[in-house]
Amino acid sequence: MADVNVQKRQLRAAGVVPVLTIERTEDAVPVAKALTDGGLRVLEVTLRTACALDAIKEISNSGLDVLVGAGTITCESDVGSALKYGAQFLVPPATPAFLLSELAAFPGLVVPGIATPTEALSLYDHGFDVVKFFPAEPYGGASTLKALSAPLPNISFMPTGGVSFEKLPSYLKLPNVAAAGGSWLATPADIQAGNWARITELAQEASDLVKSLRPG
Ligand code: 3PG
């Protein structure tokens, strides 16, 4: 497991995190390859399907230069399962008290879900300084994160939920945004149809935008 600070740098360097819902284990490596071919190297696999853990394991063992994490962590046992199957980081959509001790014990990066300043500050007090702002667009999107930057200067955010390519610049221009997450890069429909070239194209488009907005 890479050092957490290294993972935080990888997250910021990626700028965009594809959120994947994979229905067939055999799609895991091809979709990861399609995304890395497009320049995106930090991927979140949601624990919403029967094969999600196997998909994480396949990607983790694939030899691809990729950081694979588990999303939709909603109970304590998800944390141990994700670790066992090779997840290097975790992204819970929300962070109730019953998850805190398991999350704090995870050896990699944890990006816990928040929707309010109180939740963000409470998690910062527990040692989490990169949090997932979810669901980002319904909760005010980039203008909410801009408003949070002055009172919460030490917290970085990963907005996810309703983010699109068109909305990316509004997030990536904010210094307190580590990366934005979204499913538009590899939708369940494109994954099931094996549209790997399209997925690479969308990843390349996003990765080029990150480079143009965050040079160096
Ligand atoms: C999710 O809940 O699936 C993620 O937050 C991604 O949301 P999106 O589909 O709106 O990008």
Side-chain angles (χ1 to χ4, degrees):
M1 184 78 67
D3 178 81
V4 170
N5 287 319
V6 172
Q7 292 188 338
K8 283 181 194 171
R9 287 199 288 276
Q10 288 175 295
L11 183 68
R12 182 167 281 276
V16 174
V17 177
V19 176
L20 309 175
T21 297
I22 298 175
E23 300 280 356
R24 298 178 305 217
T25 310
E26 61 266 34
D27 292 334
V29 173
V31 70
K33 181 167 186 322
L35 289 161
T36 57
D37 283 350
L40 297 181
R41 307 203 173 279
V42 180
L43 318 179
E44 172 188 335
V45 176
T46 62
L47 299 190
R48 294 184 200 166
T49 60
C51 75
L53 288 167
D54 287 324
I56 289 171
K57 188 175 178 182
E58 292 284 317
I59 295 170
S60 169
N61 292 337
S62 66
L64 289 169
D65 176 18
V66 67
L67 193 66
V68 61
T72 322
I73 301 284
T74 55
C75 65
E76 286 173 287
S77 64
D78 286 342
V79 177
S81 305
L83 180 63
K84 185 173 156 201
Y85 281 77
Q88 293 160 285
F89 68 96
L90 302 180
V91 191
T95 320
F98 69 80
L99 277 180
L100 272 178
S101 58
E102 285 292 321
L103 293 177
F106 185 76
L109 177 64
V110 176
V111 185
I114 63 101
T116 67
T118 301
E119 291 168 326
L121 194 52
S122 167
L123 286 166
Y124 182 70
D125 185 51
H126 282 91
F128 300 101
D129 61 1
V130 185
V131 297
K132 167 173 169 158
F133 177 41
F134 177 79
E137 281 295 313
Y139 276 82
S143 61
T144 297
L145 292 182
K146 191 172 181 193
L148 292 179
S149 65
L152 303 177
N154 298 318
I155 303 178
S156 295
F157 296 87
M158 182 167 103
T160 309
V163 179
S164 59
F165 178 74
E166 290 69 29
K167 298 218 156 99
L168 258 188
S170 64
Y171 289 106
L172 294 176
K173 283 176 186 164
L174 299 176
N176 64 340
V177 168
S183 64
W184 86 92
L185 298 136
T187 63
D190 275 341
I191 295 172
Q192 284 185 45
N195 288 336
W196 313 130
R198 174 176 165 73
I199 290 170
T200 297
E201 204 176 299
L202 292 171
Q204 189 70 60
E205 177 186 54
S207 139
D208 288 347
L209 185 65
V210 173
K211 282 190 204 118
S212 73
L213 293 172
R214 293 177 165 179

